């Protein structure tokens, strides 16, 4: 017996009975259809809805709730005996129901019959099953349209032989998902009555206990326990070698002081050599005998996994002596990573809240919400930093060491830098995620694995941004890698013919902006999915991702980064700016940034006073926002790197940000798995507020940082050490 988690008890039961073939043509026709038919008789009410405001429509609709419920219960009460008769006959005569699709099975009909009888007798188990059903409650106008019922209570329902004769009914939780394709735009969640142009699609997902297959469990355990054992052995070896080194150093100090034990060592050496030697003569021999084992090839490989050394490197906050280092980028990376984690945590937590609309309306015009809303620009910041670091670093290296280029290492190093951690994190998360938590909206394994079965290899080839298969948020890595593949053309041009590089960057940026403008016009998309364009409904998340994640949509920030990298290389990070130039520059950057953040503020589709963007405004915002944002970030980098903004540069270059920079890649890969698991583990929709958001996002950030540290020490840093050992 199933406990539904969405609709009221009798409505769901009546809907189920509508699948009876006999009910399709007999006196037991679908009562819901009857109700909708009767509702359409309220023509004055429908005419009234067309002439009142949104709030009045909602209020008036809710005032009709009593009349609608009375209509349903009247019909149900009048047909109660008829329904029981249908169920009784279906349970007694298996062939009473001719099975079309869908059909009510003989067993299901019998259990429904027994349950309704027990409910009429007020049996405890039947009442608890009724109590576990989800049903509409308060805050509907605030977006509370998810009714999960009582997940745990439903699963704990059991019957005994004394309760039933010839039947055993145990609770099974099922979630009824009703997808409505509307004939008109009601994105503002206006009340409406379905009409003949609307279509409904009903999906039922039933919970069941799932356990990981033994082969998968053994494979996962062996793989990651092997990595852990190697790290433990390497750390133990590292401590042992350090202790031996300290003992040898202590022995050398004692020898220098002329203590007795050194005389013994000297005597042994003289005995071996058959001659007498002074301390200066036997010292090289002593050092050879006591030479550390760290230089042996196998020891070098093992020590790459040492948690002691790798943790020391992670926590090293000392500023590098190399004046060419762009330390200000550390702070920018950390704050951008926080921006991404916060944005995703807020977005996903809202999807299972009971007041999403009211939350959007309350916070929609606040500063922090505007910053989160334009979080799509955070990826452009990372792309700009990527292009800048690559160009600046490679041109500086060529200037110091010559143009000796090994292009196969250029690509292999990049691939090995990104892929192992991504694959191992993905492998662990995808194979184990369905088993982490259980709840009404937990995905079942069959929902996870078929999606990844045919698309996992696309992530390894960095082409998954085109069809959004498995591990969707790695689209950024695909975009970055695809641009990286063609960067040698730009790098060689910057090194030999800078004018050609300027032209190439300009053409790439012009193409990107032109494509963005065309797509924005054709798809009616602005900067974010929440921005409403006049006369057009907002894009769905999947449709928006088709525009958002393609490579040519993101070319401009990378090109700006490469140009800034060449500028800093060319000037040796020495640019003197007058106070007037700095003042005008900062005023321009602040004005442009504020415009990008607040311009679409009144166009949020959920606002009661929403002012949609015109199609022209949407095209301009979508086309110019990323180039302008990139120029603002570039200004901050230039003034910090050239010491024209010393206070800001000092803050962004703080040593603690270097730790966040080293963990940023692992945090990017891990955070959405964590957020998704937490959201899908809930059993009841929760009220969301600003304090809740603050606690949630900071908690997610802390746990993500901890897990990223583990991934860094176990996978990322050891493999990076091996790469440095043999490929650089």
């Amino acid at each position: 017996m199933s406990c539904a988690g969405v609709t009221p008890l009798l409505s769901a039961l009546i809907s189920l009975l509508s699948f009876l073939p006999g009910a399709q043509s007999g006196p037991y026709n679908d009562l819901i259809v009857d109700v909708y038919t009767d509702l359409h008789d309220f023509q004055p009410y429908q005419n009234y809805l067309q002439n009142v405001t949104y709030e009045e429509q909602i209020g008036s609709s809710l005032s009709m709730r009593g009349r609608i419920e009375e209509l349903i219960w009247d019909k149900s009460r009048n047909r109660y005996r008829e329904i029981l008769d249908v169920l009784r006959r279906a349970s007694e005569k298996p062939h009473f129901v001719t099975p079309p699709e869908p059909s009510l099975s003989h067993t299901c009909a019998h259990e429904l019959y027994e349950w309704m009888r027990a409910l009429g007798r007020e049996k405890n188990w039947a009442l608890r099953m009724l109590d576990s059903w989800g049903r509409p409650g308060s805050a509907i106008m605030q977006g509370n349209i998810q009714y999960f019922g009582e997940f745990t209570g439903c699963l704990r329902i059991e019957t005994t032989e004394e309760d039933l004769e010839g039947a055993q009914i145990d609770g099974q939780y099922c979630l009824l998902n009703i997808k409505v394709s509307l004939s008109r735009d009601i994105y503002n969640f206006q009340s409406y009555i379905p009409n003949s142009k609307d279509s409904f699609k009903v999906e039922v997902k039933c919970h069941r206990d799932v356990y990981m297959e033994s082969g998968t469990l053994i494979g996962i355990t062996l793989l990651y326990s092997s990595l852990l054992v190697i790290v433990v052995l390497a750390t133990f070896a590292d401590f042992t070698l350090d202790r031996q080194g300290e003992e040898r150093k202590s022995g050398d100090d004692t020898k220098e002081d002329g203590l007795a034990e050194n005389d013994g060592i000297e005597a042994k050496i003289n005995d071996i050599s058959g001659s007498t030697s002074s301390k200066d003569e036997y010292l090289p021999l002593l050092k050879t005998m006591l030479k550390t084992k760290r230089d042996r090839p196998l020891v070098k490989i093992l020590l790459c996994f040492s948690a002691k050394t790798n943790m020391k490197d992670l926590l090293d906050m000392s500023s590098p002596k190399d004046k060419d280092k762009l330390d200000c980028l550390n702070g920018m990376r950390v704050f951008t990573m926080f921006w991404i984690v916060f944005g995703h945590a807020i977005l996903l937590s809202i999807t299972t809240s009971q007041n999403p609309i009211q939350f959007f309306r309350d916070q929609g015009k606040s500063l922090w919400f505007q910053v989160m809303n334009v979080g799509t620009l955070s990826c452009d910041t990372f792309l700009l930093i990527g292009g800048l670091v690559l160009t600046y670093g490679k041109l500086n290296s060529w200037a110091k060491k010559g143009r000796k280029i090994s292009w196969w290492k250029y690509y292999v190093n990049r691939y090995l830098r990104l892929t192992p951690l991504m694959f191992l994190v993905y492998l662990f998360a995808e194979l184990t995620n369905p088993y982490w938590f259980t709840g009404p909206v937990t995905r079942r394994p069959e929902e996870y694995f078929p999606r990844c079965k045919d698309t996992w290899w696309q992530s390894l080839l960095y082409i998954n941004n085109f069809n959004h298969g498995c591990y969707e948020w790695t689209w950024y890595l695909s975009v970055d890698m695809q641009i990286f593949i063609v960067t040698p053309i730009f790098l060689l041009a910057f090194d030999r013919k800078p004018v050609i590089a300027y032209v190439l960057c300009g053409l790439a940026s012009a193409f990107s902006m032109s494509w963005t403008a065309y797509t924005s016009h054709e798809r009616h998309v602005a900067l974010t999915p929440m921005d409403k364009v006049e006369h057009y409904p907002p894009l769905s998340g999947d449709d928006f991702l088709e525009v958002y994640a393609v490579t040519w949509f993101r070319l401009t920030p990378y090109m700006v980064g490469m140009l800034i990298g060449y500028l800093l290389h060319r000037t040796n990070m020495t640019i003197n700016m007058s106070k007037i130039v700095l003042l005008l520059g900062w005023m321009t950057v602040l004005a442009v940034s504020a415009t990008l953040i607040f311009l679409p503020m009144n166009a949020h589709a959920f606002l009661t006073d929403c002012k949609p963007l015109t199609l022209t405004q949407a095209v301009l915002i979508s086309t110019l926002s990323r180039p302008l944002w990139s120029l603002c970030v570039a200004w901050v980098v230039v003034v910090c790197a050239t010491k024209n903004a010393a206070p800001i540069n000092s803050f962004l270059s703080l040593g603690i940000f270097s730790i966040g920079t080293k963990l940023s890649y692992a945090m990017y890969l891990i955070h959405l798995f964590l957020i998704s698991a937490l959201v899908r583990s809930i059993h009841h929709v929760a009220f969301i507020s600003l304090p809740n958001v603050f606690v949630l996002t900071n908690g997610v950030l802390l746990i993500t940082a901890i897990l990223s540290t583990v991934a860094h020490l176990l996978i990322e840093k050891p493999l990076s050490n091996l790469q440095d050992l043999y490929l650089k």
Side-chain angles (χ1 to χ4, degrees), residues 27 29 147 250 302 410 687:
N29 201 359
Y147 316 115
S250 176
L302 181 63
Y410 179 81
F687 184 87

Side-chain angles (χ1 to χ4, degrees), residues 113-156:
Y113 174 68
E114 293 293 341
W115 172 68
M116 290 193 67
R117 288 183 59 200
L119 190 62
R121 298 173 184 175
E122 298 184 357
K123 294 289 185 180
N124 180 269
W125 70 270
L127 292 174
R128 285 192 292 116
M129 183 169 287
L130 173 64
D131 184 55
S132 68
W133 282 60
R135 55 184 59 82
S138 60
I140 293 178
M141 289 193 296
Q142 299 180 22
N144 185 19
I145 55 174
Q146 301 181 91
Y147 316 115
F148 294 150
E150 181 54 44
F151 178 80
T152 305
C154 178
L155 295 179
R156 290 179 178 175

Side-chain angles (χ1 to χ4, degrees), residues 441-455:
V441 291
T442 302
R443 287 184 179 179
R444 296 172 295 180
E446 56 267 29
E447 295 179 271
Y448 263 78
F449 303 138
R451 178 173 59 92
C452 298
K453 182 179 179 181
D454 300 325
T455 61

Side-chain angles (χ1 to χ4, degrees), residues 336 340 375-384 475-476 548 554 557 668:
T336 303
I340 292 174
T376 60
L377 298 174
S378 58
C379 295
D380 298 291
T381 303
F382 272 127
L383 286 171
L384 181 141
W475 67 264
Y476 166 80
Y548 177 75
R554 301 284 184 168
Y668 175 75

Side-chain angles (χ1 to χ4, degrees), residues 414-537:
R414 181 71 170 184
Y415 187 83
L416 294 181
R417 169 69 182 87
L418 299 177
T419 309
L421 179 63
M422 179 190 72
F423 180 72
L424 290 175
V425 169
Y426 148 76
L427 185 67
F428 178 81
E430 284 293 331
L431 292 180
T432 63
N433 192 272
Y435 312 101
W436 290 359
F437 302 103
T438 182
V441 291
T442 302
R443 287 184 179 179
R444 296 172 295 180
E446 56 267 29
E447 295 179 271
Y448 263 78
F449 303 138
R451 178 173 59 92
C452 298
K453 182 179 179 181
D454 300 325
T455 61
W456 63 269
W457 56 271
Q458 296 176 3
S459 296
L460 296 182
L461 294 180
Y462 294 96
I463 57 174
N464 66 317
N465 60 317
F466 293 112
N467 65 354
H468 322 303
C470 207
Y471 214 12
E472 293 178 353
W473 57 95
T474 57
W475 67 264
Y476 166 80
L477 299 179
S478 297
V479 169
D480 184 77
M481 180 64 79
Q482 290 161 20
I483 300 177
F484 179 82
I485 291 174
V486 300
T487 52
I489 300 173
F490 295 86
L491 293 174
L492 292 174
F494 275 121
D495 187 56
R496 299 176 182 179
K497 295 287 184 182
V499 174
I500 296 178
Y502 302 154
V503 173
L504 291 175
C505 289
L507 290 175
S509 299
F511 168 74
S512 177
M513 294 172 66
S514 299
W515 184 89
T516 302
Y518 171 78
T519 306
S520 178
H521 184 273
E522 294 299 312
R523 303 294 296 272
H524 322 120
V525 61
L527 183 60
T528 73
M530 287 183 57
D531 298 336
K532 181 170 175 53
V533 181
E534 195 174 32
H535 306 307
Y536 300 101

Side-chain angles (χ1 to χ4, degrees), residues 703-720:
I703 299 174
T704 300
I706 295 173
L707 295 178
S708 299
T709 301
V710 174
H712 179 81
L713 297 176
L714 194 66
I715 304 171
E716 182 179 18
K717 186 58 179 176
L719 297 181
S720 177

